[in-house]
Amino acid sequence: MHTWGWRVGEFFHTFFAAPVGGIIEAPLFFLEVVIGGLMAGVMYSLVALGFVLIFKASGVFNFAQGTMVLFAALCFVGFLEMGAALWIAFPLTLAIMVALAFVVERVVLRPLVNQEHIILFMSTIGIAFFLEGFGELLWGGDVHELDIGLPDGALFVGEILIQQNDLVAAAAASIMVAVLAFFFHYTRVGRALRAVADDHQAALSIGIPLQQIWFIVWAVAGAVALVAGIMWGQKLGVQFSLSVIALKALPVLILGGFTSIPGAIVGGLIVGVGEKVAEVFWGQALGGAIEEWFAYILALVFLLFRPQGLFGERIIERV
Amino acid sequence: MFYREAGDFKSTYAEDQALFPIALDRWFVLAAAVMACGVPLVASEYWLSTIFLPVLILSIAAIGLNLLTGYAGQLSLGAGGFMACGAYMAYKFTTAFPELNMVVVFALSGLSAAAVGIVFGIPSLRIKGFYLAVTTLAAQFFLLWLFTKVPWFVNYSISGVPTAPPREMFGVPVTGASASVEARYYLVLALTAILALLAKNLVRGRIGREWMAIRDMDIAAEIIGIRPLKTKLTAFAISSFYCGVAGALWSFCYINIVEPTAFDINRSFAILFMIIIGGLGSILGSFLGAAFITLLPVFLNNAPALFNLQISSTLVSHIEFMVFGALIIFFLIVEPHGLARLWQIAKEKLRLWPFPH
């Protein structure tokens, strides 16, 4: 039997001294892990963005966003495999996502106007099931390779290794956020979207057509899903585990707050870095594969201190 | 005409407060119970093991989640995690104390799940709505990871997925592969009946009313003197108890193996579907929802054969997904309050039928 002192010492060693020692000994490796985490975080942010857009404009918690990512990627790959050129496949898929937004608004959202949030949430899970089946039906359930000629391979900055396709993803995300910011702030539709997000009733009373706005916002979310799908597909191949990865966007969302676009980005980065660092330095001590739940626990602990997330609107409750 | 409260006079308060105050309801429940007891006489083994057992066990889990989500208003996506907790703890208890009566083992595993439920319910005091739903996913993923990674929970078994040990009650084997389907069915049926009656009692009493007050508006409930801490945590504890018992039964009486994949995230979603399709805030709805969600895939699998269509099995599984999703949306649009509400409407109609004016 070991003494308690020894046990405490060992505990301290495995959970604190060894990981922190590892970080201090190899700061470059740590930096590499952090950068890898940031890049993974960008990918999560891409998915989370779509959630935020829809939640802001319609208060619908769109569970189907992950499946939309998968569906868009499947369609894109499918067109490419049929021999379409890149510049044909992209607009074609975009058109499909817009059509999907139209159908969703007409068939699902419109009849469910004024229902409780949980009902709308469940209906998006229904959409997710339908899309998953539909995607498989159209394009088959195999893993598709997606290569659109983005630079692939390792890049050394000093002694730090960075994956090139991660950089491309980060660039794509930045461009997309910039475009979205421009769209929201300087276009007529964007202003209408912000008005709806602020107050449905007020927006309605000044003559903004809510249903049209919902259609637009689902279409934009579809476009975001397409970009996210291409990035994820490039990295991992287009396969059904993509929709599982998209579940990771949920802790990202609650970290950042459901209604904040910067929140989705920052939340994604925090989750990406936290997850990678925890897995690499603490994973061994805990038995490995802690990536599965780390993001959720992180989000849970975080929410205990800030229930509305990092950038979420403050919740003011009245009787 | 056939269903009515009129003429059903009550002369004491006790009668008025009875669990089923209307005579016709009492007869209906009694008839359902008798029919459930008689099922093994007519149903084949295939029907018992692939339909009745899972439906009953999932009903328990659905009742559990309904208490939490439908009555107390706390959206949870962690039901599968709590089921796993019950299954693994039942395994630990029954291997540590082989002489222990199985009902006691199931109760103990439910209590362990309840303890875990309380821990994961604590955030609900500060976190609400969809934020809470996502944090309950933490329970789902963390618990499953824990049971997969810590070999103590499976007694250091090499495969990691131990089979359910055979146990007897009154000299009849009731768990494990050697138990007859009938024995397992009666055990599950008895537990389901007891737990359902208990739930029915809970929700009409003080605890249930507190839950509903918290659900409808927690700040207002707090102001009229309901303690949110106690109320929300009892909801989590009791809900997890039900889920834990359901998980233990699932492993011991249905699949005969203690494995984590039976309790993954899809299970949690399936149970959430059950209570929404069945009806939030309704015990009957939990049964209807469990039956619907379990029977739908069985039906969809057999439907092509019924119409003499030749479709490959992969195609069937894709179409199954699509039909499942479409049906959920259809149901939500047609009747957002679920099958239980349809039943209520049917009763209203029957009250007047055949003289509607």
Side-chain angles (χ1 to χ4, degrees):
Chain A
M1 277 307 276
H2 298 296
T3 60
W4 275 107
W6 188 85
R7 280 193 190 178
V8 170
E10 193 198 37
F11 181 82
F12 179 77
H13 178 76
T14 38
F15 286 100
F16 186 71
V20 173
I23 291 173
I24 294 168
E25 263 171 39
L28 276 183
F29 176 62
F30 177 68
L31 204 63
E32 206 173 289
V33 172
V34 168
I35 290 176
L38 281 177
M39 297 304 171
V42 168
M43 303 292 250
Y44 294 143
S45 302
L46 279 176
V47 182
L49 259 180
F51 277 99
V52 170
L53 284 173
I54 290 178
F55 191 83
K56 246 176 110 83
S58 55
V60 175
F61 187 87
N62 178 24
F63 193 81
Q65 185 68 29
T67 323
M68 277 164 67
V69 169
L70 171 70
F71 185 73
L74 269 179
C75 289
F76 187 69
V77 161
F79 287 132
L80 283 185
E81 281 173 2
M82 278 161 64
L86 209 60
W87 58 271
I88 299 179
F90 191 83
L92 261 181
T93 318
L94 206 58
I96 286 185
M97 295 315 282
V98 172
L100 179 73
F102 183 76
V103 172
V104 164
E105 197 276 316
R106 271 297 154 92
V107 178
V108 182
L109 294 181
R110 200 171 281 192
L112 286 175
V113 167
N114 267 339
Q115 291 295 349
E116 287 163 49
H117 286 315
I118 185 172
I119 304 289
L120 285 160
F121 168 61
M122 291 306 292
S123 70
T124 62
I125 299 185
I127 297 173
F129 269 97
F130 184 84
L131 272 186
E132 205 167 317
F134 191 52
E136 277 194 44
L137 190 72
L138 285 181
W139 309 108
D142 316 321
V143 179
H144 299 267
E145 288 293 320
L146 174 60
D147 186 12
I148 54 170
L150 293 180
D152 195 4
L155 185 74
F156 280 93
V157 179
E159 284 173 41
I160 301 165
L161 178 139
I162 300 174
Q163 294 290 334
Q164 276 183 343
N165 53 11
D166 283 344
L167 276 183
V168 175
S174 329
I175 293 171
M176 204 161 66
V177 170
V179 170
L180 281 178
F182 177 83
F183 174 69
F184 269 97
H185 282 268
Y186 298 105
T187 62
R188 207 180 144 77
V189 179
R191 273 200 294 274
L193 281 174
R194 279 192 295 149
V196 172
D198 245 20
D199 190 332
H200 283 193
Q201 295 255 311
L204 264 180
S205 66
I206 56 165
I208 296 173
L210 257 190
Q211 283 153 345
Q212 205 177 322
I213 291 295
W214 284 357
F215 160 62
I216 291 170
V217 89
W218 275 75
V220 173
V224 172
L226 174 57
V227 176
I230 293 173
M231 291 302 149
W232 275 109
Q234 168 92 2
K235 197 176 164 109
L236 301 170
V238 179
Q239 52 181 328
F240 278 82
S241 62
L242 275 192
S243 59
V244 183
I245 292 168
L247 271 183
K248 279 277 176 61
L250 297 179
V252 169
L253 271 180
I254 58 173
L255 259 179
F258 281 148
T259 48
S260 158
I261 290 180
I265 308 284
V266 177
L269 296 182
I270 293 177
V271 165
V273 172
E275 200 174 75
K276 278 281 178 309
V277 170
E279 177 72 51
V280 171
F281 292 99
W282 275 272
Q284 213 64 46
L286 283 167
I290 63 173
E291 259 183 302
E292 275 171 36
W293 53 265
F294 181 81
Y296 295 95
I297 298 280
L298 182 73
L300 196 159
V301 173
F302 191 86
L303 279 197
L304 282 179
F305 296 100
R306 251 188 99 77
Q308 71 274 37
L310 261 182
F311 298 96
E313 285 155 29
R314 253 193 86 199
I315 305 162
I316 301 166
E317 285 182 287
R318 295 189 186 87
V319 173
Chain B
M1 181 176 173
F2 290 104
Y3 178 85
R4 55 182 191 175
E5 302 92 334
D8 198 357
F9 300 115
K10 293 160 184 93
S11 48
T12 61
Y13 283 119
E15 268 179 40
D16 199 35
Q17 292 173 335
L19 202 49
F20 300 102
I22 300 167
L24 215 62
D25 279 347
R26 277 198 296 278
W27 289 112
F28 180 78
V29 170
L30 206 64
V34 169
M35 263 159 62
C37 288
V39 158
L41 299 178
V42 283
S44 67
E45 202 175 311
Y46 168 80
W47 274 74
L48 272 184
S49 62
T50 56
I51 295 186
F52 284 98
L53 268 179
V55 166
L56 284 177
I57 297 172
L58 289 176
S59 301
I60 301 179
I63 292 172
L65 189 64
N66 219 336
L67 293 180
L68 182 63
T69 304
Y71 285 97
Q74 311 297 310
L75 189 53
S76 163
L77 296 174
F82 299 125
M83 283 176 79
C85 196
Y88 278 88
M89 286 324 283
Y91 180 73
K92 281 308 281 185
F93 278 121
T94 194
T95 46
F97 310 102
E99 296 304 311
L100 215 54
N101 189 309
M102 272 325 274
V103 173
V104 179
V105 168
F106 289 140
L108 282 175
S109 59
L111 287 177
S112 330
V116 176
I118 290 177
V119 172
F120 280 99
I122 291 171
S124 71
L125 300 172
R126 265 177 82 73
I127 306 169
K128 284 166 192 160
F130 289 121
Y131 286 91
L132 180 67
V134 179
T135 55
T136 55
L137 277 178
Q140 169 73 42
F141 287 107
F142 178 74
L143 287 173
L144 278 196
W145 174 84
L146 190 71
F147 294 132
T148 333
K149 288 289 172 187
V150 181
W152 178 81
F153 286 108
V154 290
N155 289 342
Y156 303 97
S157 119
I158 294 164
S159 68
V161 278
T163 49
R167 293 284 180 266
E168 292 184 351
M169 270 176 75
F170 312 113
V172 184
V174 288
T175 67
S178 57
S180 71
V181 173
E182 285 83 6
R184 287 186 270 155
Y185 173 78
Y186 279 118
L187 174 68
V188 170
L189 180 67
L191 283 177
T192 312
I194 294 169
L195 287 174
L197 278 180
L198 203 67
K200 190 92 185 149
N201 254 312
L202 268 178
V203 295
R204 69 180 183 141
R206 186 176 50 81
I207 296 178
R209 278 153 198 258
E210 283 180 356
W211 285 345
M212 286 185 259
I214 287 281
R215 170 192 68 191
D216 291 341
M217 184 175 263
D218 52 356
I219 296 189
E222 200 176 339
I223 287 167
I224 59 169
I226 292 168
R227 283 183 288 171
L229 172 75
K230 201 192 91 191
T231 312
K232 284 182 179 176
L233 290 188
T234 42
F236 265 98
I238 294 173
S239 157
S240 308
F241 178 86
Y242 275 73
C243 287
V245 172
L249 285 174
W250 187 267
S251 275
F252 277 70
C253 295
Y254 179 52
I255 55 174
N256 296 323
I257 188 171
V258 185
E259 58 161 4
T261 46
F263 308 112
D264 61 2
I265 178 84
N266 290 328
R267 175 77 55 213
S268 298
F269 276 120
I271 294 170
L272 190 63
F273 277 141
M274 285 170 200
I275 65 170
I276 295 196
I277 299 276
L280 284 170
S282 157
I283 302 293
L284 174 73
S286 311
F287 282 98
L288 296 177
F292 184 81
I293 298 288
T294 319
L295 289 179
L296 188 61
V298 176
F299 171 74
L300 289 178
N301 263 323
N302 294 325
L306 284 181
F307 300 112
N308 283 324
L309 291 173
Q310 297 292 324
I311 304 179
S312 72
S313 61
T314 49
L315 196 62
V316 167
S317 77
H318 298 161
I319 292 177
E320 196 184 309
F321 262 95
M322 285 174 67
V323 173
F324 193 70
L327 267 178
I328 283 166
I329 296 171
F330 175 76
F331 256 95
L332 289 175
I333 291 173
V334 174
E335 187 47 73
H337 298 290
L339 296 168
R341 174 83 189 126
L342 285 182
W343 172 245
Q344 219 171 14
I345 293 172
K347 284 203 291 193
E348 310 253 312
K349 291 261 156 73
L350 273 179
R351 186 177 294 154
L352 297 176
W353 191 86
F355 308 111
H357 297 294

